[in-house]
C-alpha cells in the first residue's frame, strides 16, 4: 500500500505534517511500533514507524531518532499526539532535514488501529498477488505442456511485464528473444559477477538458469531489461517464473543431448580408427544430424592443466558449435571432439566470450581444415596438432586454425624449448651482446629487414632511418652472425632464430 492510501482513511484521522515531493507514493512494506531511541537494527526498509516519542527527553533526541530510521530506509514516521499533546517542532524539523514523511496520530486513535489497518491491507494485497502469480504459473505451465516453445514463452512474459526478455548461453548463443546489442557485456557480467542475479549495462538484469553449483561456462541465463531491485513484485514474480520454466526446458533438451552424445562418441571413435568413410560412420553422422557427403571440419578442445574437466570441455564445445550447426561432439582420449559442417569461423568469437570466466584454467582449441569422410582421420590429427600448438601459447584461451600448423610456428612449437633457445643463442647472442653494449638497434633493424622481405627502402621507411643506416646495420649483423642475408638459407636460419627468442 502507499502512504497516500493510509492518509485517505478517515477513520484513522491521520494528519500530514511533512512530506517531501512524491513521498506520498512511497510503498509501505510493513509497520513497526517502537519507543527506542535508535531502532535502526530492527528495520529492514519500507516500514511505517509508529512511535509515542517516549524516547524524547530533549531536543537532541529527535535528531538521533529520525536520523536512525532514515538511514534504515523507513517509509514514514507516524508520531502520536498523546505524550506531548501534539508533535514537537524539533521532531518536525528533524524529519525535514532527513526527508522523512511525518504523520501525526490523534490521541483518540490507538496505535493498534493503525497497525491493524496496515497489516490487513498488506496481507490482502499479498494474497491477491499470490493468486495472480499462481494463475499465471498455471497458465504458463499449461502452455508449455501444450508445446509452447522457449521463444514464445519469453514473448509472453515480455508482454506481461513490458520488458524485453532473452535467454542466452555462456557463449552468447541466443536461445530466445531478439538480438542483443550489448551481448558481450552481458555475457561477461554473467560469467564474472560475484553473485546472481546481477545488473549489467543497459541496464539489464541477469538470472542464472539451473543450480548455483553448475559451472557458468556451461550455463544458460535469462536477460531482462531494467534493474531488478527497482521492479514491482509482480514483475519479479513473472521473471522468476520465466527462469524456472527455462530451467525445465533446458532439462528437457538435456535428455536429448545425452542420446546425441553417445552417437557422437561412436562416430568420433570410428573416425579416430580411420573408418571415416565406412557405412557405420555414415550412419552415426546422419543420426547426429550431419550430412556425411559434405566436407566436415574437426575441432578439438580441452583444458590442458585439468584433465578432470573433459565433460566441461565437451559442454563448452557443444554450445560453441551450436552457433554453426548441429552439435555433434564426442569425447576421445580425454578431449572434446566436434564435427561440424558449417563455417568454423563462428567458433572463435563464441569461445572468446568465455575467457573472462575461465579464472585460472586454460582452454585450448584446435580446428582442422574441411575434409571429406575418407580424410576425417587426418583432419582429426590436424586439429589435435593445432590444439597442441595452442597449448604452448601463454594466456587463458587460444583457438588455433590448421593454417598455422603448416607454418614455421608449428615447426618451432614441436622443438623442445631447450634446443630452440640453444639454436637462437648460437646465432643471435653476438648481436644481442653488441646491442647491450652500444644500444645500436641491430636486432630491431634485423626484424624490420626480414619482415620487409629484405627490402632496404621499406625497412628504412618503417624504422624512419636513412637507407644507408639500414645497410650499415645489416652489414654489422652479417659480420657478427657469420651469415649472408642475401642467401636464402642463411636468411631462413636467422629468421627462425629470431622467432625462437
Amino acid at each position: 500500500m502507499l502512504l497516500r492510501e493510509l492518509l485517505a482513511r478517515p477513520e484513522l484521522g491521520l494528519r500530514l505534517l511533512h512530506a517531501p515531493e512524491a513521498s506520498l507514493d512511497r510503498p509501505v512494506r510493513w509497520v513497526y511500533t517502537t519507543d527506542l531511541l535508535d531502532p535502526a537494527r530492527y528495520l529492514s526498509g519500507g516500514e511505517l514507524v509508529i512511535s509515542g516519542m517516549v524516547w524524547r527527553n530533549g531536543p537532541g533526541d529527535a535528531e538521533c531518532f529520525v536520523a536512525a530510521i532514515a538511514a534504515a530506509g523507513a517509509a514514514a514516521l507516524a508520531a502520536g499526539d498523546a505524550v506531548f499533546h501534539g508533535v514537537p517542532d524539533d521532531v518536525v524539523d528533524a524529519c525535514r532535514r532527513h526527508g522523512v514523511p511525518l504523520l501525526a496520530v490523534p490521541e483518540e486513535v490507538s496505535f493498534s488501529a493503525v497497525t491493524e489497518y496496515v497489516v490487513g491491507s498488506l496481507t490482502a494485497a499479498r494474497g491477491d498477488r499470490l493468486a495472480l502469480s499462481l494463475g499465471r504459473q498455471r497458465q504458463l505451465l499449461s502452455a508449455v505442456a501444450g508445446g509452447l516453445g522457449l521463444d514464445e514463452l519469453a514473448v509472453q512474459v515480455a508482454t506481461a511485464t513490458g520488458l524485453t526478455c532473452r535467454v542466452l548461453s555462456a557463449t552468447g548463443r541466443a536461445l530466445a528473444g531478439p538480438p542483443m546489442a550489448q551481448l558481450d557485456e552481458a555475457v561477461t557480467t554473467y560469467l564474472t559477477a560475484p553473485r546472481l542475479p546481477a545488473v549489467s549495462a543497459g541496464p539489464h538484469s541477469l538470472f542464472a538458469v539451473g543450480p548455483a553449483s553448475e559451472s557458468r561456462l556451461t550455463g544458460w541465463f535469462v536477460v531482462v531489461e531494467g534493474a531488478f531491485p527497482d521492479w514491482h513484485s509482480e514483475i519479479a514474480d513473472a521473471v522468476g517464473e520465466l527462469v524456472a520454466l527455462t530451467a525445465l526446458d533446458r532439462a528437457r533438451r538435456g535428455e536429448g543431448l545425452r542420446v546425441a552424445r553417445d552417437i557422437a562418441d561412436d562416430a568420433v571413435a570410428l573416425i579416430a580408427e580411420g573408418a571415416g568413410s565406412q557405412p557405420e560412420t555414415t550412419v552415426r553422422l546422419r543420426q547426429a544430424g550431419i550430412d556425411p557427403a559434405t566436407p566436415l571440419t574437426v575441432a578439438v578442445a580441452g583444458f590442458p592443466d585439468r584433465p578432470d574437466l573433459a565433460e566441461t570441455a565437451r559442454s563448452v564445445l557443444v554450445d560453441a558449435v551450436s552457433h554453426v550447426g548441429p552439435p555433434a561432439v564426442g569425447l576421445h582420449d580425454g578431449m572434446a571432439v566436434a564435427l561440424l559442417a558449417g563455417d568454423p569461423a563462428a567458433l572463435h568469437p563464441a569461445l572468446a566470450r568465455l575467457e573472462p570466466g575461465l579464472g585460472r584454467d586454460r582452454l585450448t582449441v584446435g580446428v582442422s581444415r574441411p575434409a571429406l569422410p575418407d580424410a576425417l582421420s587426418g583432419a582429426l590429427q590436424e586439429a589435435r596438432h593445432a590444439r597442441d600448438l595452442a597449448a604452448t601459447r601463454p594466456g587463458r584461451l587460444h583457438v588455433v586454425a590448421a593454417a598455422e600448423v603448416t607454418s614455421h610456428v608449428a615447426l618451432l612449437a614441436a622443438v623442445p624449448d631447450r634446443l630452440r633457445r640453444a639454436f637462437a643463442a648460437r646465432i643471435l647472442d653476438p648481436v644481442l651482446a653488441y646491442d647491450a653494449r652500444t644500444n645500436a638497434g641491430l636486432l630491431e633493424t634485423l626484424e624490420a629487414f626480414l619482415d620487409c622481405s629484405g627490402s632496404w627502402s621499406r625497412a628504412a621507411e618503417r624504422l624512419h632511418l636513412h637507407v644507408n643506416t639500414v645497410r650499415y646495420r645489416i652489414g654489422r649483423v652479417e659480420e657478427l652472425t657469420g651469415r649472408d642475408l642475401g642467401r636464402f638459407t642463411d636468411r631462413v636460419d636467422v629468421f627462425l632464430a629470431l622467432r625462437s627468442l
Side-chain angles (χ1 to χ4, degrees):
M1 66 177 298
L2 305 179
L3 281 176
R4 187 183 305 281
E5 297 169 352
L6 185 61
L7 283 165
R9 302 304 302 179
E11 68 272 22
L12 298 178
L14 301 176
R15 305 189 316 277
L16 181 65
L17 302 183
H18 167 68
E21 186 178 354
S23 63
L24 294 183
D25 292 321
R26 289 183 183 177
V28 176
R29 187 184 61 81
W30 200 241
V31 62
Y32 179 69
T33 302
T34 183
D35 276 311
L36 294 173
L37 181 60
D38 183 359
R41 63 184 180 276
Y42 300 111
L43 303 176
S44 56
E47 294 93 349
L48 172 68
V49 177
I50 302 177
S51 179
M53 298 182 292
V54 175
W55 43 262
R56 183 180 178 273
N57 295 312
D61 292 338
E63 173 66 20
C64 178
F65 179 83
V66 175
I69 66 171
L77 169 62
D81 287 341
V83 174
F84 297 100
H85 306 292
V87 179
D89 291 341
D90 57 299
V91 176
V92 178
D93 292 341
C95 287
R96 285 199 178 96
R97 282 194 298 274
H98 293 281
V100 176
L102 177 60
L103 287 59
V105 183
E107 293 186 33
E108 65 274 12
V109 176
S110 68
F111 288 171
S112 63
V114 179
T115 300
E116 286 177 12
Y117 176 75
V118 173
V119 171
S121 298
L122 292 174
T123 302
R126 287 174 182 172
D128 291 342
R129 287 198 301 271
L130 179 59
L132 178 63
S133 177
L134 290 173
R136 186 170 56 240
Q137 286 180 6
R138 280 193 287 268
Q139 184 180 17
L140 289 173
L141 286 170
S142 297
V144 171
L148 185 73
L150 190 56
D151 203 69
E152 297 166 297
L153 178 63
V155 169
Q156 279 203 12
V157 176
T159 302
T161 61
L163 303 173
T164 302
C165 301
R166 299 174 175 88
V167 181
L168 301 174
S169 72
T171 64
R173 183 164 52 101
L175 298 154
M180 187 176 185
Q182 295 154 313
L183 174 62
D184 289 350
E185 191 158 5
V187 171
T188 298
T189 302
Y190 163 70
L191 290 172
T192 60
R195 63 183 60 85
L196 295 170
V199 179
S200 69
H204 292 91
S205 296
L206 314 179
F207 300 83
V209 173
S213 58
E214 179 184 16
S215 169
R216 294 189 193 177
L217 294 174
T218 61
W220 289 9
F221 61 105
V222 171
V223 183
V224 184
E225 281 185 320
F228 70 90
D230 300 332
W231 291 344
H232 293 301
S233 57
E234 291 83 355
I235 293 178
D237 290 345
V239 171
E241 290 153 13
L242 172 60
V243 173
L245 291 173
T246 301
L248 288 176
D249 184 86
R250 188 182 177 206
R252 177 182 57 79
R253 297 190 192 196
E255 293 297 326
L257 283 176
R258 272 188 279 275
V259 176
R261 287 178 179 185
D262 292 340
I263 294 171
D265 285 344
D266 291 344
V268 169
L270 289 167
I271 289 168
E273 294 170 2
S277 60
Q278 296 300 313
E280 186 179 356
T281 308
T282 301
V283 170
R284 285 288 184 262
L285 291 174
R286 285 205 175 97
Q287 289 174 336
I290 294 176
D291 181 2
T294 62
L296 300 177
T297 300
V298 180
V300 175
F303 294 87
D305 308 317
R306 295 287 305 275
D308 56 305
L309 295 181
E311 280 295 345
T312 299
R314 188 213 292 255
S315 296
V316 163
L317 204 51
V318 165
D319 190 13
V321 169
S322 296
H323 288 261
V324 180
V329 183
L331 283 182
H332 182 71
D333 283 348
M335 297 178 297
V337 180
L339 310 170
L340 59 150
D343 183 1
L347 285 179
H348 199 171
L351 290 165
R353 294 191 184 100
L354 298 175
E355 185 168 2
L358 288 173
R360 296 182 179 179
D361 294 325
R362 298 174 60 234
L363 176 63
T364 52
V365 183
V367 183
S368 77
R369 287 169 292 196
L372 291 171
D374 59 354
L376 282 178
S377 179
L380 173 59
Q381 291 300 318
E382 190 174 55
R384 294 184 66 165
H385 289 315
R387 181 180 172 262
D388 290 342
L389 178 56
T392 67
R393 297 180 175 178
R396 292 178 295 179
L397 174 69
H398 282 291
V399 180
V400 173
E404 295 183 65
V405 176
T406 58
S407 72
H408 68 279
V409 177
L411 174 64
L412 293 174
V415 177
D417 289 345
R418 181 177 55 80
L419 294 177
R420 191 168 63 247
R421 285 193 295 267
F423 172 71
R426 188 168 64 251
I427 294 176
L428 294 176
D429 266 4
V431 176
L432 295 172
Y434 188 88
D435 270 352
R437 290 195 309 272
T438 65
N439 197 28
L442 297 187
L443 189 70
E444 179 187 17
T445 305
L446 174 61
E447 288 179 333
F449 177 71
L450 293 177
D451 198 38
C452 293
S453 301
S455 168
W456 306 104
S457 58
R458 281 195 289 134
E461 183 179 354
R462 175 179 294 187
L463 295 170
H464 306 291
L465 297 173
H466 192 278
V467 67
N468 287 340
T469 302
V470 175
R471 288 181 181 274
Y472 168 77
R473 290 184 180 179
I474 294 302
R476 196 79 186 91
V477 169
E478 289 178 327
E479 292 174 7
L480 291 167
T481 60
R483 258 66 174 186
D484 178 2
L485 294 179
R487 294 178 58 205
F488 177 74
T489 53
D490 283 358
R491 192 181 295 182
V492 168
D493 281 348
V494 174
F495 173 79
L496 291 175
L498 275 172
R499 293 297 178 266
S500 299
L501 287 175

